Amino acid sequence: QVQLVESGGGLVQAGGSLRLSCANSERTFNLYAMGWFRQAPGKEREFVVSIDWTGGTTYYADSVKGRFTISREKNTVYLQMNSLKPEDTAVYYCNVGLNGRTWAPGNYWGQGTQVTVSS
């Protein structure tokens, strides 16, 4: 059974940092692009960032550019979040893309990890 396990969420003050991790149990996912999404209460799930299978190409939502950094190593994808704002509060989900290069969200999702930023 395919598993994507996120971790690293928590409560942090505005201006603080967190590092999220997403570990996958399926080795073939290492050949796919990966992405992070988030969903705040009462809002739709939104795209945050993606990374291709090589780690060389990334795409960021405008709202997180310059503050968040995605990276990947072996079977884990990381999301370093700096200068956090209260509006970053959400459940963060990782997603396996449909292919290795061009980002398009796929059907595999993790269970989510809660990030709460206090003002």
Side-chain angles (χ1 to χ4, degrees):
Q1 185 177 356
V2 173
Q3 280 191 314
L4 294 173
V5 180
E6 297 107 332
S7 61
L11 173 63
V12 64
Q13 288 189 329
S17 299
L18 284 173
R19 189 192 195 202
L20 306 184
S21 300
C22 172
N24 79 71
S25 63
E26 179 62 46
R27 185 177 298 180
T28 56
F29 285 171
N30 297 344
L31 300 178
Y32 286 79
M34 297 289 293
W36 285 94
F37 287 72
R38 66 186 181 186
Q39 187 166 19
K43 295 187 177 181
E44 293 188 355
R45 191 171 296 187
E46 65 174 3
F47 170 80
V48 177
V49 60
S50 66
I51 186 169
D52 75 348
W53 78 280
T54 69
T57 300
T58 56
Y59 295 103
Y60 291 88
D62 288 343
S63 58
V64 305
K65 279 182 182 176
R67 301 188 298 120
F68 290 12
T69 303
I70 190 171
S71 61
R72 65 189 302 167
E73 182 175 0
K74 294 183 180 179
N75 68 326
T76 302
V77 176
Y78 302 98
L79 182 61
Q80 178 66 44
M81 305 186 295
N82 298 329
S83 302
L84 283 162
K85 305 175 181 179
E87 50 263 45
D88 294 318
T89 295
V91 178
Y92 284 71
Y93 299 89
C94 65
N95 176 263
V96 182
L98 289 179
N99 60 65
R101 287 282 188 183
T102 305
W103 172 249
N107 297 319
Y108 291 104
W109 296 89
Q111 84 287 354
T113 185
Q114 176 70 48
V115 171
T116 303
V117 184
S118 62
S119 57

